Amino acid sequence: MNNFKNTVASDLLSCISGLAGDITLTKDDILGMFEYPPDSSLGDIAFPCFKLSRILRKAPPVIAQEISASFKSELVSKVEAVNGYLNIFVSNDYLIKNVLLRIEEEGEQYGSDGSGKGKVAVFDYSSPNVAKPFHIGHLGTTIIGHSLKMLHKFQGYDCVGINYLGDWGTQFGKLIVAYNLWGDKAKIEEGGVDELVALYVKFHEEAENDDSLNQRAREEFTKLEHHDETNIGLWKWFVELSLAEYQKTYKQLGIEFDSYKGESFYTDKMPAQIQVLRDKNLLKIDDGASIVDLSEYNMPPCLILKRDGSTLYPTRDIAAAVYRKQTYNFDKCIYVTSAGQSLHFAQWFKVVELMGYDWHDKLVHVPYGTVSINNEKLATRTGNVILLKDLFATAIEKVNEIMNEKNPNLPNRAEIAEAVGVGSVIFYYLYNNRIKDINFVMSDALSFEGNTGPYAQYTYARTFGILEKAGDLNYNATEPVITSSEEAELLKVLSKFNEAVKSAIKEYEPSVITRYIIDVCSAFNKFYHNCQIVSAEDEIVRNTRVRLTAATKTVLGSAFELICLKKTEKI
Ligand code: ARG
């Protein structure tokens, strides 16, 4: 609708100027005033005349009447003055030329305005902590992060996806002690991260009664920090094992990272930044620790060095941000984590500003709410946390059961069950505003009715099925013509793709796309149920409808990619 709004705004401006002589009104003012009416009987866009009332010294309904009497625009089929609003109806000609033909011409690029070209965006997301469970709390950072990356990429940004692995810290000292005492190499090779987590849990249980274990853990970590060969070997092994396991989940999701530089990578990059902090007189000693006082900004102090001189989470984040600015020269660096870390980010972003880095305002924290699971008990070896892989496995298993019943002879069943199972979780999660806490109900996520992943994927498969049936006859042989309200409505929804993309990026909110997908699906399904497509008798009607189906498939496909949903051709 952007093109439509733009042209109509110009036409309105000349119309209003014609009515009122010289008034100070710009096209942008008009664009800012447009509204989407609550239902389509009130037009496709509405122009409220209330603000003009003061400038023109006339009642809004009178202004709306006057404009409607003299307004002309090629793209508009009619205008109506109703209660101080000018209701504007888009013409079918516009829908054909500016929506259908453009989708056909631009294909997978349709919906992108290229506004990110020449800009670099860095995404720090997923970032699990090695040898700790990769649990449902990581679902948000992983799929919101990836979706934001895909959205930016779609708009033309150069994107760098970084998995900032939690691969450094005292937990490795604990793990080394636990491994040396109770570890079994073969068992770990076999069981992977689960075994490491079990060792870690055992360490904590034992250390409750035996504090000397904690002391030993600190010693082992210090040895690691001093590059002790044995400990470095163990650490590398733990990291590799964990990564191999995460990769399985990333593969299911279709996610690849451009960099896996985790916290350990920055150990030698911190001293330089600590020096900057010192040079700028920002460090204060508080009970032996070095902090940056942020009381002036109503925040607790940011901890930079512990009493024993060791660095902390914020210290590494500061060093990593400087490194990334130097390496990628980003226009935005986006961090996706749970809202529980909001203070951490606010604090160290402020410290970066105080350090004098003028790019501090290019750092963006994107927080999200918590996930809990209802009605479904997912067994894990680690007790109360639910692992991401178990959540996906359960969803896939359930889809398999449904498919056994409904479509037992489908080829590639395993692949499709995975796409639909994983997709249902993604979709359910991304349907909500990211900041909201989510209660996950598996049966709702898996329903084929309602606003779900399976419904969206089923609709995509439906477009595929229709096009397969249509075969490759020349559907372009005739000029397309709109002959039903369902076709017009579908094109109107398709015309709003770029607006959805822009608003998802502006708000860092993938749910805008998830909801947009549902809008496309329901407009398409209405069209499908009320209009004959391949079987339409009239050639022009048939040709138009097949092309509309193809256009829907194109837009749905692009939108699916933006939220990591697989394009299922058959279900
Ligand atoms: N590893 C952290 C965790 O699991 C998340 C890291 C987020 N990124 C960052 N640059 N601090 O909580």
Side-chain angles (χ1 to χ4, degrees), residues 2 11 15 80 156 167 171 185 198 203 222 228 252 274 310 318 370 394 439 463 516 522 558 563:
N2 278 344
D11 295 340
C15 173
E80 284 171 356
D167 61 359
Q171 80 259 31
K185 189 158 190 241
F203 178 90
T222 309
D228 172 85
Q252 280 182 322
I274 294 167
S310 56
I318 293 168
T370 59
T394 310
N439 192 12
T463 62
Y516 176 71
S522 38
S558 298
I563 61 161

Side-chain angles (χ1 to χ4, degrees), residues 370-397:
T370 59
V371 189
S372 57
I373 305 233
N374 219 15
N375 302 337
E376 292 287 329
K377 287 214 165 35
L378 296 168
T380 73
R381 304 203 34 198
T382 45
N384 53 6
V385 291
I386 291 161
L387 301 180
L388 212 46
K389 64 174 180 186
D390 291 342
L391 181 65
F392 288 140
T394 310
I396 295 168
E397 201 179 297

Side-chain angles (χ1 to χ4, degrees), residues 508-562:
Y508 298 102
E509 187 63 86
S511 66
V512 175
I513 300 299
T514 319
R515 285 167 187 264
Y516 176 71
I517 288 175
I518 292 298
D519 291 345
V520 175
C521 289
S522 38
F524 179 77
N525 285 324
K526 266 197 205 118
F527 158 72
Y528 170 81
H529 287 298
N530 295 334
C531 304
Q532 290 182 312
I533 303 176
V534 181
S535 52
E537 263 171 41
D538 184 280
E539 190 196 352
I540 295 178
V541 173
R542 186 170 62 240
N543 286 351
T544 308
R545 290 180 178 171
V546 170
R547 286 169 70 174
L548 270 171
T549 306
T552 305
K553 178 169 170 278
T554 302
V555 174
L556 270 186
S558 298
F560 278 19
E561 293 210 341
L562 296 178

Side-chain angles (χ1 to χ4, degrees), residues 124 127-129 138 164 166 263 313 317 335 337 341 344-345:
D124 174 314
S127 313
N129 295 325
H138 292 107
Y164 182 65
E263 295 189 38
Y313 189 42
D317 257 327
Y335 298 83
T337 78
Q341 297 197 30
H344 161 75
F345 282 94

Side-chain angles (χ1 to χ4, degrees), residues 47-95:
F47 180 67
C49 299
F50 305 95
K51 279 197 190 143
L52 284 186
S53 162
R54 231 181 322 130
I55 313 173
L56 300 178
R57 295 173 189 283
K58 284 181 194 165
V62 177
I63 301 173
Q65 274 302 342
E66 286 185 5
I67 301 177
S68 74
S70 63
F71 181 72
K72 279 199 182 54
S73 175
E74 238 186 278
L75 310 184
V76 169
S77 62
K78 63 171 177 179
V79 289
E80 284 171 356
V82 181
N83 299 332
Y85 280 92
L86 187 73
N87 293 339
I88 303 166
F89 295 78
V90 63
S91 73
N92 285 349
D93 191 45
Y94 170 83
L95 293 175

